């Protein structure tokens, strides 16, 4: 009886040890596999990392350094400390350019966000046609320079088709890009036309992540389309909408090419946005130190706006359970 009762315990530790060894070998194999993927992952990441270091990080650090110098490409950079920033604070054209840029951003973001959201909701609720989505995206495939030139011709005061239509309807011709009152709203709407399709498709991707069960349950309860939009769509779309707003605000503050090919900063500096003023200081007057200081100021403004938007819109949180 003693031998029979003691035999099972003598075999259990062996099984446990064997199981532990098996698990240990499995973990070791997985660790070796993970280590083997490291060099391959580094190889794939290397081109993007090289581009980041060469075309983003190094120019940023170089620009920050030049903002504390007087540099014109012809002579070595001369350290001047905070002189460029003091000049910037006392420069009325800088503040006027910033005001013009903010005006452009408000018009562009307001119209583009509302239009893109309406297009995205219509695409989601009324059609699943890939062809229609491609048509909506078509203006985005055109470069800003080409779009600006085309609209410059179309909105020409004397020969543009836009003013020809206004004249045929009995209205006075409007100098869309030659009048201080019309210039910035016109440039903003040109860029809205080009970017609204891309923004709408980003929002459409967010809408497709919302479960249809919620809409079906709301319909059963008798909710209207308008009520479902405000009670279901907007709260659940908030994280995607927040990220899209951050992206569009950053892009809007960097507007340059449309202004360069349509108005050149005129009339009377009415469209002299901050990026165009920085470009003129650097490549027009060769004041690279001062231009770098304004670029650093723009970087700080955009960073602050991004952090503020991220916190206010709670972009990192979702209401989806």
């Amino acid at each position: 009886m003693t031998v029979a009762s003691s035999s099972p315990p003598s075999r259990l530790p062996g099984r446990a040890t064997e199981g532990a060894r098996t698990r240990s070998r499995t973990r070791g194999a997985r660790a070796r596999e993970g280590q083997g993927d490291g060099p391959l992952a580094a190889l794939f990441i290397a081109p993007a990392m090289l581009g980041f270091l060469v075309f983003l990080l190094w120019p940023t650090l170089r620009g920050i350094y030049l903002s504390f110098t007087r540099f014109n490409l012809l002579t070595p950079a001369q350290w001047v400390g905070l002189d460029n920033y003091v000049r910037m604070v006392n420069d009325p054209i800088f503040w006027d350019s910033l005001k013009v840029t903010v005006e452009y951003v408000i018009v562009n973001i307001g119209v583009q966000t509302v239009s893109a959201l309406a297009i995205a909701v219509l695409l989601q609720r009324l059609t699943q046609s890939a062809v229609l989505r491609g048509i909506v995206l078509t203006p985005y495939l055109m470069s800003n320079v080409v779009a600006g030139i085309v609209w410059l011709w179309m909105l020409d005061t004397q020969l543009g088709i836009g003013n020809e239509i206004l004249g045929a309807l009995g209205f006075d011709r409007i100098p869309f890009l030659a009048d201080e009152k019309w210039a910035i709203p016109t440039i903003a709407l040109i860029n809205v036309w080009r970017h609204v399709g891309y923004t709408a498709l980003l929002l459409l991707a967010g809408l497709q992540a919302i479960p249809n069960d919620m809409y079906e349950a709301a319909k059963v309860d008798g909710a209207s389309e308008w009520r479902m939009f405000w009670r279901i769509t907007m709260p659940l779309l908030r994280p995607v909408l927040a990220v899209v707003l951050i992206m569009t605000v950053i892009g809007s503050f960097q507007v340059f090419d449309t202004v360069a090919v349509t108005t050149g900063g005129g009339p009377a500096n009415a469209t002299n946005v901050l990026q165009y003023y920085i470009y003129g200081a650097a490549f027009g007057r060769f004041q690279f130190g001062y231009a770098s200081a304004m670029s650093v100021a723009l970087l700080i403004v955009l960073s602050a706006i991004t952090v503020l938007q991220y916190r206010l819109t709670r972009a990192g949180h979702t209401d989806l359970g």
Side-chain angles (χ1 to χ4, degrees):
M1 293 296 294
T2 304
V3 175
S5 61
S6 61
S7 56
S10 65
R11 290 193 299 269
L12 290 176
R15 293 179 180 176
T17 303
E18 182 179 355
R21 291 175 180 175
T22 302
R23 289 193 297 272
S24 178
R25 286 195 297 269
T26 303
R27 287 194 296 268
R30 291 177 179 174
R32 287 191 296 272
E33 289 177 0
Q35 292 174 356
D37 291 340
L40 183 62
L43 180 63
F44 281 108
I45 294 174
M49 183 59 66
L50 181 62
F52 171 78
L53 294 174
V54 174
F55 297 107
L56 186 61
L57 183 60
W58 168 246
T60 301
L61 297 177
R62 175 71 172 169
I64 294 174
Y65 165 73
L66 289 178
S67 69
F68 297 99
T69 67
R70 183 179 295 111
F71 181 54
N72 60 8
L73 283 182
L74 302 178
T75 59
Q78 179 184 358
W79 184 268
V80 295
L82 297 175
D83 287 359
N84 288 323
Y85 292 95
V86 173
R87 175 186 172 185
M88 179 182 66
V89 171
N90 296 317
D91 184 358
I93 301 180
F94 168 79
W95 293 108
D96 184 67
S97 297
L98 184 59
K99 183 185 71 173
V100 170
T101 306
V102 171
E103 179 185 350
Y104 165 83
V105 170
I106 292 174
V107 176
N108 183 44
I109 296 302
V111 177
Q112 183 178 165
T113 303
V114 174
S115 302
L117 185 58
I119 294 172
V121 171
L122 291 175
L123 289 175
Q124 171 72 5
R125 305 293 287 172
L126 300 181
T127 180
Q128 299 293 326
S129 173
V131 175
L132 187 58
R133 295 176 186 179
I135 293 174
V136 170
L137 188 62
T138 300
Y140 185 74
L141 303 179
M142 185 184 301
S143 70
N144 279 332
V145 173
V146 174
I149 292 175
V150 170
W151 280 99
L152 176 64
W153 292 342
M154 293 175 61
L155 299 178
D156 183 79
T157 307
Q158 301 300 326
L159 303 176
I161 188 174
N163 275 299
E164 289 293 331
I165 294 175
L166 289 177
L169 294 175
F171 296 101
D172 294 333
R173 293 177 180 267
I174 300 176
F176 289 100
L177 293 168
D179 185 87
E180 297 180 23
K181 179 178 66 175
W182 287 96
I184 277 293
T186 301
I187 292 175
L189 293 178
I190 291 174
N191 283 325
V192 166
W193 171 82
R194 181 179 178 271
H195 292 91
V196 69
Y198 177 73
T199 306
L201 290 185
L202 293 178
L203 295 176
L204 178 61
L207 290 174
Q208 290 178 336
I210 301 175
N212 288 327
D213 297 344
M214 295 187 175
Y215 293 107
E216 293 174 359
K219 287 181 179 179
V220 171
D221 292 338
S224 62
E225 290 286 341
W226 186 250
R227 189 173 183 84
M228 286 191 291
F229 174 78
W230 285 110
R231 297 293 184 179
I232 299 176
T233 302
M234 287 302 293
L236 298 182
L237 188 63
R238 177 185 45 77
V240 176
L241 183 59
V243 174
V244 169
L245 280 174
I246 291 173
M247 293 172 55
T248 51
V249 167
I250 292 175
S252 297
F253 266 96
Q254 297 175 341
V255 60
F256 168 78
D257 34 18
T258 308
V259 173
V261 300
T262 55
T263 62
N269 286 334
T271 60
N272 189 25
V273 293
L274 192 53
Q275 284 280 20
Y276 193 78
Y277 184 49
I278 292 172
Y279 171 82
F283 298 99
R285 299 183 294 276
F286 296 101
Q287 300 172 355
F288 287 93
Y290 184 50
S292 298
M294 291 189 289
S295 299
V296 172
L298 179 59
L299 174 63
I300 294 173
V301 169
L302 289 179
S303 300
I305 291 175
T306 300
V307 172
L308 184 62
Q309 279 186 291
Y310 190 87
R311 289 184 178 276
L312 291 179
T313 58
R314 296 184 296 124
H317 302 82
T318 179
D319 295 330
L320 284 173

